[in-house]
Amino acid sequence: LLAEQMLAYSRAAAPGDAAQRERVALQDLAQEAAEAVQPRAQERRCTLELAVDSNVAVIGERQKLLSLVTNLLDNAVRYGSEGGRVRLELRRERGAAVLAVSDEGPGIPPELRVRVFASYYRMPGAAGAGSGLGLAIAREVAEAHGARIAIEGGAGGRGTRVVVRFEAAPEP
C-alpha cells in the first residue's frame, strides 16, 4: 500500500501534460471510485451514498482526477465510523463543479485541517494503517487543476467533509 501511495503521490505531483487534458464527467469518476472503494466499505460495514448531478464536468487529466476522488472516498471509509455512512455529493454551483465527500467519523479538529494535507502526516491517534498520503495526493491533483480543496466539519458537528471546487467545464 505504501509503495502504491508513494507512486500515486509522485504522479499527482508531476507536472501535467496539456495534451492529456480533456472534458471529464465527474459522475463517471464518482461511480468508478465508489466501485474501487466498495470492498473496503463492505469490510467496515459502511454505506456509500452518491448524490450526483449528471451534468458536472471539468477540464483535466482523467487519471489524476480519478485518483483524487478515490483517495477522498477511501479516506472517508477508512477513518469514518465503522458501520457509518460515506456520502459523495457532486453539483454545479455558479460556474463551479463542487465535489464533497463526507463521513460520520471522529472528524478533524480545526487546528489540524490544513496540516493533514501535508505528505506523510497522520493525525495523532489515527486508527488503522495508512501512509499519510491520501489527502496530500488529493491536494496535489486539486491544485494542478486550479481547484480549491478544504476540510470542514461534518453535518451536526460529526465527521469530516472535504470539499473541492473546480471551475466547471462549459456546457457542451
Side-chain angles (χ1 to χ4, degrees):
L1 176 69
L2 178 59
E4 287 175 26
Q5 286 288 80
M6 289 173 69
L7 186 58
Y9 180 72
S10 293
R11 283 191 198 117
D17 180 358
Q20 291 182 359
R21 290 197 169 233
E22 61 183 311
R23 181 183 181 84
V24 179
L26 292 180
Q27 173 189 4
D28 296 344
L29 294 187
Q31 191 63 47
E32 198 172 326
E35 287 170 13
V37 172
Q38 187 63 42
R40 185 179 316 277
Q42 287 175 333
E43 187 179 293
R44 298 207 70 229
R45 298 185 337 272
C46 289
T47 303
L48 288 180
E49 291 181 3
L50 299 182
V52 298
D53 178 342
S54 61
N55 194 28
V56 182
V58 298
I59 302 297
E61 293 179 61
R62 186 182 196 289
Q63 236 10 77
K64 286 186 177 184
L65 291 166
L66 178 59
S67 176
L68 176 146
V69 179
T70 303
N71 272 288
L72 292 181
L73 275 178
D74 186 65
N75 263 17
V77 167
R78 186 182 300 259
Y79 301 111
S81 61
E82 186 158 347
R85 183 175 61 122
V86 170
R87 182 175 170 89
L88 184 149
E89 299 167 63
L90 183 57
R91 68 183 182 282
R92 205 176 165 92
E93 185 179 279
R94 296 189 298 275
V98 180
L99 170 80
V101 176
S102 54
D103 66 52
E104 298 174 336
I108 298 173
E111 64 274 12
L112 296 179
R113 289 182 184 163
V114 171
R115 192 161 181 201
V116 294
F117 287 111
S119 305
Y120 303 105
Y121 179 80
R122 293 202 48 189
M123 276 188 17
S131 63
L133 285 172
L135 289 174
I137 291 167
R139 176 187 46 89
E140 288 288 344
V141 173
E143 289 177 358
H145 287 83
R148 292 189 320 270
I149 186 168
I151 295 176
E152 305 171 349
R158 251 189 97 189
T160 300
R161 181 175 159 90
V162 181
V163 180
V164 186
R165 290 180 183 280
F166 299 90
E167 181 178 326
E171 298 285 340

